[in-house]
Amino acid sequence: MKITVLGTGYLGATHAACLTSLGHDVLGVDIDPVRVDSLNNGHSPVLEPGLDDLLTAGLQAGRLRFTTSVTEAADHARVHFLCVGTPQSADSWEMDLSAVDSAVDELVAHLDHGDHLIVGKSTVPAGTAQGLQERMPERVAVCWNPEFLREGHGIADTLQPDRIVLGIPDTGAGPAAGETVREIYADLGEVPFLVTDLTTAELVKVSANAFLATKISFINAVADLCEATGGDVSVLSTALGLDPRIGPGALSAGLGFGGGCLPKDLRGLTARAEQVDARQAADLFRAVDAENMHRRDRLVDQVTDACGGSVSDRRITVLGASFKPGSDDIRDSPAMTVIGDLEDAGGLVTVCDPAVPAYSRDLSGALRGAEVTVIATDWPEFRDLDPVAACDLVAVPTVVDGRNCLPVARWTDAGWDYRGTGRRAQSSGWNPASTASTAN
Ligand code: UDX
């Protein structure tokens, strides 16, 4: 099928390449000519394993192309996926929908007289799609097909999804629109396919992210309780996760969630709940966000404590800047907040990250002379760091593990003073079985 994809950021580039691999003929559209050039040469705008190969395969097969021309897009296809960003507004918790509005308005202004289908994938507040449908000419239908992509797993999450959710309009065009989207994904095989109204589809996406965020903040809140009472959040988390009603995902305690999606989707949902006067819902979501932001202050407090009360002029090495391992994305990264706060407090901060270009990848160099070492992102190279070799490099063997990712016994055996989240601080020689068995 001939398809256009509007917006070629993380979501759009991945979606376009994946649609091509399903056999479709795809034209990607973006307002950024540099990005379009790069994509036309097979280079993804973001760090995403396998995406460059998939782009190159599509380009070579002649079924994938990128352009800045909306006229070309309007001519290319009758189905148009909307994949533009919806960041948090500069001055509120609401989502900024300006890219959605301008992409749709520009496209519609160029559409010929036939029937067209706009399939929204961008994450938007409940009611957005209905509003778009109402301002479309009758021959243009709008449906909503939210994405659930995790950065670093975008291709698998698109080609082997857990579920496909599709909101269709309550107009006569709804059922046919649903069939078209079903046909586009036909080769994905047996995947639960839920057809619903536009608003429910929008809400599925934001509530999925809000639920993941809630799980993370919940385990972090319990981590504080563990610290205050002498429990161990790692064992506790494993025990909770074994209950199939709870499940093990999103239950790792530590520095909390960040990135381009979870925080802004949670905030967008909070703002929407307030707009429609769903106050208890808004309070719940607000508490989840507050707990998450508290994690960052908490880590800075732990580092300050490790420095004896002030970080001023102390050499602190922060391992990790991206919001999670496997990504170079620093949007709303908890690590970046911690780095900024430690610098503001006068700390002499050295940062090491394997993917974020602003920082060094030289782990040994970063550790040399450190008075406190902080794990802010659980990159495998930090998790697997040899504590004996690292001990020889630092000035003071004190580690604050903001991701609870280090094998505690190995670190304390190597002489480190270990401070994690929701577990007792441990120094060399203190090594109870319960901690050793959960450390890995
Ligand atoms: C998320 C959702 O998972 C995805 O379905 C949605 O489409 C977009 O948002 P992503 O932003 O790639 O994907 O991040 P994810 O892997 O979910 O991690 C989010 C953040 O939570 C990271 O900062 C991570 O470090 C943190 N996290 C995750 C925890 O602190 N604890 C956990 O147990 C899991």
Side-chain angles (χ1 to χ4, degrees), residues 13 23 89 118 121 142 204 214 231-232 272 293 299 308 323 339 367 374 391 395 430 434:
S89 296
I118 295 176
K121 290 199 80 67
V142 174
V204 167
T214 303
D232 185 318
R272 192 75 187 111
M293 298 313 283
L299 188 63
F323 84 103
I339 292 162
L367 287 170
V374 183
C391 199
W430 195 89
S434 72

Side-chain angles (χ1 to χ4, degrees), residues 120-163:
K121 290 199 80 67
S122 307
T123 303
V124 291
T128 306
Q130 184 62 36
L132 287 176
Q133 179 66 82
E134 283 165 14
R135 68 174 208 248
M136 288 301 113
E138 209 176 312
R139 63 198 174 76
V140 180
V142 174
C143 13
W144 222 262
N145 168 221
E147 54 89 11
F148 302 100
L149 273 64
R150 292 162 300 165
E151 286 193 29
H153 303 269
I155 294 170
D157 286 349
T158 305
L159 294 177
Q160 290 115 40
D162 303 320
R163 74 288 209 197

